Amino acid sequence: LKLLFVHGRMSHYAVLGVSRDAPKRAIRSAYLRLAKQLHPDVNKTAGAAQQFQAVQKAYNVLSDPEKRKAHDWELGGKSGPAPVGDVEPEDAGDFLQQAWRQYRKQSGQSQDYRSRVEEEHRTQSVRFQQEMFRAAMTRNAVRAFPLMLPLALIAGGLYWNNIGKETEKSMRFDEKGQAFVLDAYGRWHRFPPADKMDQAR
């Protein structure tokens, strides 16, 4: 191995005891062998649990192509820029891991915040348009009222005048002031309630 430690910690290749060019089959075999030896249910010696966790972490990194590429870049000896994307820098030390997780968490919270702000803005926009529509309808009704009132009075006058004319056609009085009404068949009938009292006396 060219480098057994990175950022003060043993490389994952060294933890599993494999070379950097080891194939996936060799990495898995080394992991299963060490996991059986260091499992807490089997190995009760001091430090076995921590070693078992290190073996699990090493296998999780080296069994994933993207994470292994990032680990190789951390070890050095690889050309090209540092790996980017959603790969979590497992080998960057506890501080960098915490910083990375915090950044991912804040990015997700920022996205949720933007979504909530956009939804609230759309809701307020719809409410504002509804209020503006109601206000416009109220203003138009107030402006139209002075114009509609004379028309309503004229229409009412014509209606009552027409009723009066129809009444005159369907009712008549004799020389004594007695009232007669015309039925639907053209026949006249006495209608005492409408008698002209002055003439009747």
Side-chain angles (χ1 to χ4, degrees), residues 5-80:
F5 293 88
V6 56
H7 296 290
R9 299 168 60 187
M10 184 177 290
S11 72
H12 295 313
Y13 293 105
V15 171
L16 295 180
V18 297
S19 62
R20 288 184 58 177
D21 57 353
K24 289 185 177 181
R25 180 179 301 177
I27 292 174
R28 178 173 175 79
S29 298
Y31 164 71
L32 293 176
R33 176 176 52 82
L34 292 173
K36 291 178 181 179
Q37 295 176 3
L38 300 173
H39 195 280
D41 293 341
V42 177
N43 195 331
K44 303 297 184 180
T45 60
Q50 289 77 5
Q51 294 177 6
F52 179 75
Q53 292 177 359
V55 169
Q56 282 188 315
K57 185 175 183 180
Y59 178 71
N60 289 336
V61 172
L62 298 183
S63 61
D64 185 283
E66 293 299 327
K67 292 182 179 181
R68 183 176 181 179
K69 185 184 299 183
H71 183 57
D72 289 340
W73 186 87
E74 289 289 335
L75 291 174
K78 295 292 183 179
S79 59

Side-chain angles (χ1 to χ4, degrees), residues 106-120 122:
Q106 291 178 352
S107 298
Q109 291 176 349
S110 299
Q111 182 65 30
D112 293 340
Y113 175 75
R114 286 194 296 269
S115 299
R116 290 196 300 269
V117 170
E118 291 175 358
E119 181 64 25
E120 184 176 355
R122 286 192 293 267

Side-chain angles (χ1 to χ4, degrees), residues 22 25 38 43 58 64 67 71 75-76 78 82-83 94 107 127 137 156 158 161 166-167 171 174-175 181 191 198:
R25 180 179 301 177
L38 300 173
N43 195 331
D64 185 283
K67 292 182 179 181
H71 183 57
L75 291 174
K78 295 292 183 179
D94 293 338
S107 298
R127 291 177 179 174
M137 293 296 294
L158 294 175
N161 185 41
E166 291 296 329
T167 302
M171 181 179 294
D174 60 8
E175 65 277 0
V181 294
F191 190 64
D198 292 340

Side-chain angles (χ1 to χ4, degrees), residues 72-141:
D72 289 340
W73 186 87
E74 289 289 335
L75 291 174
K78 295 292 183 179
S79 59
V84 296
D86 293 335
V87 180
E88 184 174 330
E90 296 284 347
D91 313 314
D94 293 338
F95 174 76
L96 291 180
Q97 290 183 38
Q98 293 176 3
W100 176 261
R101 295 190 183 99
Q102 185 67 19
Y103 167 76
R104 296 286 299 278
K105 181 178 180 181
Q106 291 178 352
S107 298
Q109 291 176 349
S110 299
Q111 182 65 30
D112 293 340
Y113 175 75
R114 286 194 296 269
S115 299
R116 290 196 300 269
V117 170
E118 291 175 358
E119 181 64 25
E120 184 176 355
H121 175 72
R122 286 192 293 267
T123 302
Q124 291 180 353
S125 179
V126 171
R127 291 177 179 174
F128 176 76
Q129 292 177 1
Q130 292 175 347
E131 292 294 334
M132 291 296 294
F133 176 76
R134 285 194 287 266
M137 293 296 294
T138 302
R139 287 195 301 269
N140 292 335

